[in-house]
Amino acid sequence: MPNHLLVLSSLRYILLITSMVMSLSISSQIRFYASTDAKQIVTGGYFQVTFTLENATSQQFKAPSFLDFDIVAGPNTSSQFSIINGKRSQKMSYSYTLTTDKVGTFRIPSAEISINGQTLKSQPLTIEVVRGRTRSQSPKATTLSEDIVLEASVDYDTGYVGQQIILKYDIITSLDVRSFNFVSLPEFDGFFAEELQSGNGRSERIVRDGVQYLKRTIKVIALFPQQKGTFAIDPARAALGISDGSRSNTFFFTRRLKQRFASSQPMTIRIIDLPDNAPSSFSGAIGSFQMGTSLDKKNLTMEDAVTLTLQIRGDGDGRFIEAPDQPFEDEWDIYEPNLLNEHQEVAGNTIRTTKTFEYLMIPKRTGKLDFRPEFTFYSPDSNMYFTLQGQRYSINVSQGSGRELADLHNEEIRLTPIYSTTRLRPQGQSFAFTWGHGIINAGLLLTALGLILVKRKQIRLSNIDPAILRRQKAHKMALAKLQDAE
């Protein structure tokens, strides 16, 4: 191959690879943010601050000034990279472990990082530091028996039928918990329960009565009330494996674990009636929802129909989300809505349901028809009904060919004769009264009688002892042989 052709071929490959890399980079959004595992600590306690860069790389990181804190460890760096379905994802993290003996609310300034000459800043963080005390000084130290508690909590202790209530089980401890296993869980009578998370959740540092602990969510359950009343949630019991700090003699130096048991506190959930002032477009949805709409046409005649698609997405019980009534039935004939599809997904610690409904609508008059679809849900957070309004549609309806759609009751039905003239023919003798018909009927009757007699003989023979039948058969054969001999 000539040199100039080789150069052109190499340039094509370089441009192709460059375009692929650029497309992967463009498909991802660059983010730079700060996070912490604690919002409140005690004096002398520890917490971690992490600065994360997503979908980009850089070696020009500038940490903030930790004026009110002492750096115990850091910066510790880590990176992750993946390509899923052609989408590039990358993370770089810089983490610090901090402590302080000061009391008050302190601000951690923004960190900075440079990417291709552009400087990105993270958001500032606020940490509250309270005076720490020993566990023996805490007036409620007995509530954390042996430094371990299994805490059960719900986001709503009063709810409604069809609402989603999130139940969490958290371990709060200052010990090194390496394993856990639920020995028993409540029956959840009166609820439909679905597990969302089972395992090690993200740890968070909290302060209780002036003592710092580590809080970790180990199970999340979504509860959907099915009836009204007051329901008791029995305690759950879990077995925990606590590291004793020693190492075994195995090659991997596995720590020995001590087994401890912890039980959650009992609780009650009250399910009550909804308020009576529900709008007409309320169909039973309780929670937080969004709505989207679409229309297949904006110009039609009196002979046509238009299809309105309405999609509802929210965190309520999907079985209570129905197609809402629309407030524009005076100008449209609206048929019974159809459910096109329904699916559920877990978003964080919440089940989100999406339902898509289809309305077939026929105009009642010509002209310009304006309408806005509506959907109403009840919000437990605000204790009130909210009505969502979709896009305002303007439809132009013309007369068409004149053959308007009418009710079947008002439509005139005309019957067309099969023959235009009537032809009379002499009626011949029927075969039912001929000799041939009588002979055929007699033969069928005799055949039926013969079958009945044969069946009766088979039944009679089946009731005789087989030994007797064999003797009778041998006797007949002997008589026949004697006749032959004579």
Side-chain angles (χ1 to χ4, degrees), residues 29-320:
Q29 184 179 4
I30 298 176
R31 296 179 58 211
F32 181 58
Y33 56 92
S35 61
T36 178
D37 63 349
K39 296 180 180 179
Q40 185 185 59
I41 65 169
V42 298
T43 53
Y46 300 94
F47 70 102
Q48 189 175 72
V49 175
T50 304
F51 303 96
T52 304
L53 174 65
E54 290 187 356
N55 305 318
T57 59
S58 176
Q59 301 297 328
Q60 300 178 2
F61 170 75
K62 182 181 178 180
S65 58
F66 303 106
L67 295 178
D68 300 304
F69 300 93
D70 298 325
I71 300 176
V72 178
N76 299 317
T77 60
S78 63
S79 61
Q80 299 176 359
F81 178 82
S82 64
I83 297 179
I84 301 176
N85 296 328
K87 186 176 181 180
R88 174 182 175 181
S89 176
Q90 185 174 5
K91 283 186 179 182
M92 293 183 61
S93 299
Y94 304 86
S95 60
Y96 296 83
T97 302
L98 307 176
T99 186
T100 185
D101 291 328
K102 300 178 182 180
V103 177
T105 300
F106 303 99
R107 184 174 180 268
I108 299 177
S110 301
E112 297 181 0
I113 197 166
S114 298
I115 305 173
N116 299 327
Q118 182 182 4
T119 301
L120 302 179
K121 292 184 178 181
S122 65
Q123 78 280 13
L125 300 175
T126 301
I127 303 295
E128 182 184 4
V129 184
V130 298
R131 181 72 62 186
R133 64 175 108 180
T134 62
R135 291 173 177 81
S136 60
Q137 295 174 337
S138 176
K140 298 181 180 179
T142 55
T143 59
L144 293 177
S145 177
E146 297 184 357
D147 296 325
I148 298 175
V149 67
L150 178 62
E151 184 178 72
S153 62
V154 291
D155 54 353
Y156 299 95
D157 55 7
T158 301
Y160 308 91
V161 175
Q163 178 185 352
Q164 182 174 189
I165 298 176
I166 302 300
L167 169 63
K168 288 185 179 181
Y169 289 100
D170 299 317
I171 293 178
I172 302 175
T173 181
S174 60
L175 303 178
D176 187 7
V177 177
R178 292 304 183 93
S179 66
F180 60 87
N181 180 41
F182 278 89
V183 179
S184 63
L185 283 171
E187 294 293 334
F188 303 119
D189 294 332
F191 299 89
F192 172 76
E194 186 166 348
E195 186 174 297
L196 303 182
Q197 174 187 323
S198 180
N200 287 321
R202 186 172 178 267
S203 297
E204 178 186 5
R205 301 179 193 274
I206 64 172
V207 176
R208 293 283 180 89
D209 304 322
V211 180
Q212 187 165 312
Y213 297 94
L214 196 66
K215 180 180 179 181
R216 180 188 303 167
T217 301
I218 60 174
K219 188 176 285 292
V220 180
I221 299 174
L223 301 178
F224 296 95
Q226 302 299 299
Q227 56 188 357
K228 295 179 295 182
T230 301
F231 303 93
I233 305 297
D234 296 330
R237 184 173 171 82
L240 309 174
I242 311 299
S243 174
D244 61 359
S246 63
R247 293 184 176 181
S248 63
N249 295 326
T250 62
F251 177 79
F252 296 100
F253 300 104
T254 304
R255 294 182 182 271
R256 295 192 182 97
L257 300 180
K258 293 181 180 180
Q259 190 176 48
R260 303 279 187 90
F261 291 93
S263 298
S264 64
Q265 75 281 11
M267 65 176 64
T268 58
I269 300 178
R270 192 164 63 100
I271 306 303
I272 60 177
D273 288 322
L274 288 170
D276 296 330
N277 57 337
S280 59
S281 57
F282 176 71
S283 58
I286 302 175
S288 177
F289 292 87
Q290 297 174 340
M291 180 185 68
T293 61
S294 63
L295 209 64
D296 64 340
K297 61 184 71 172
K298 293 185 178 181
N299 296 285
L300 67 155
T301 66
M302 293 291 293
E303 302 169 0
D304 297 332
V306 65
T307 300
L308 171 67
T309 303
L310 187 145
Q311 186 180 80
I312 300 170
R313 185 173 185 264
D315 56 6
D317 192 343
R319 291 167 293 182
F320 292 88

Side-chain angles (χ1 to χ4, degrees), residues 233-431:
I233 305 297
D234 296 330
R237 184 173 171 82
L240 309 174
I242 311 299
S243 174
D244 61 359
S246 63
R247 293 184 176 181
S248 63
N249 295 326
T250 62
F251 177 79
F252 296 100
F253 300 104
T254 304
R255 294 182 182 271
R256 295 192 182 97
L257 300 180
K258 293 181 180 180
Q259 190 176 48
R260 303 279 187 90
F261 291 93
S263 298
S264 64
Q265 75 281 11
M267 65 176 64
T268 58
I269 300 178
R270 192 164 63 100
I271 306 303
I272 60 177
D273 288 322
L274 288 170
D276 296 330
N277 57 337
S280 59
S281 57
F282 176 71
S283 58
I286 302 175
S288 177
F289 292 87
Q290 297 174 340
M291 180 185 68
T293 61
S294 63
L295 209 64
D296 64 340
K297 61 184 71 172
K298 293 185 178 181
N299 296 285
L300 67 155
T301 66
M302 293 291 293
E303 302 169 0
D304 297 332
V306 65
T307 300
L308 171 67
T309 303
L310 187 145
Q311 186 180 80
I312 300 170
R313 185 173 185 264
D315 56 6
D317 192 343
R319 291 167 293 182
F320 292 88
I321 302 174
E322 301 292 340
D325 295 333
Q326 298 300 331
F328 41 85
E329 294 182 349
D330 294 339
E331 295 185 332
W332 296 86
D333 285 324
I334 304 177
Y335 288 81
E336 187 71 22
N338 296 323
L339 177 63
L340 294 183
N341 57 69
E342 175 184 3
H343 72 273
Q344 290 184 342
E345 61 180 353
V346 178
N349 288 331
T350 305
I351 296 178
R352 301 192 67 85
T353 301
T354 301
K355 275 190 169 184
T356 304
F357 300 98
E358 185 181 71
Y359 296 79
L360 184 65
M361 307 190 309
I362 299 176
K364 293 182 179 180
R365 66 173 179 86
T366 60
K368 185 178 180 181
L369 304 183
D370 296 332
F371 65 90
R372 295 186 70 176
E374 290 185 358
F375 172 73
T376 299
F377 65 93
Y378 184 80
S379 172
D381 293 331
S382 304
N383 294 324
M384 61 184 301
Y385 293 96
F386 282 93
T387 299
L388 302 177
Q389 291 187 331
Q391 177 183 351
R392 180 178 294 277
Y393 294 102
S394 181
I395 308 297
N396 297 315
V397 182
S398 59
Q399 185 64 40
S401 62
R403 294 182 301 172
E404 299 183 0
L405 295 174
D407 294 334
L408 292 178
H409 299 288
N410 300 327
E411 186 176 349
E412 182 181 0
I413 301 176
R414 297 181 179 180
L415 299 179
T416 304
I418 299 176
Y419 297 103
S420 58
T421 58
T422 303
R423 297 179 182 180
L424 300 178
R425 295 179 180 178
Q427 183 177 0
Q429 185 180 2
S430 176
F431 178 72

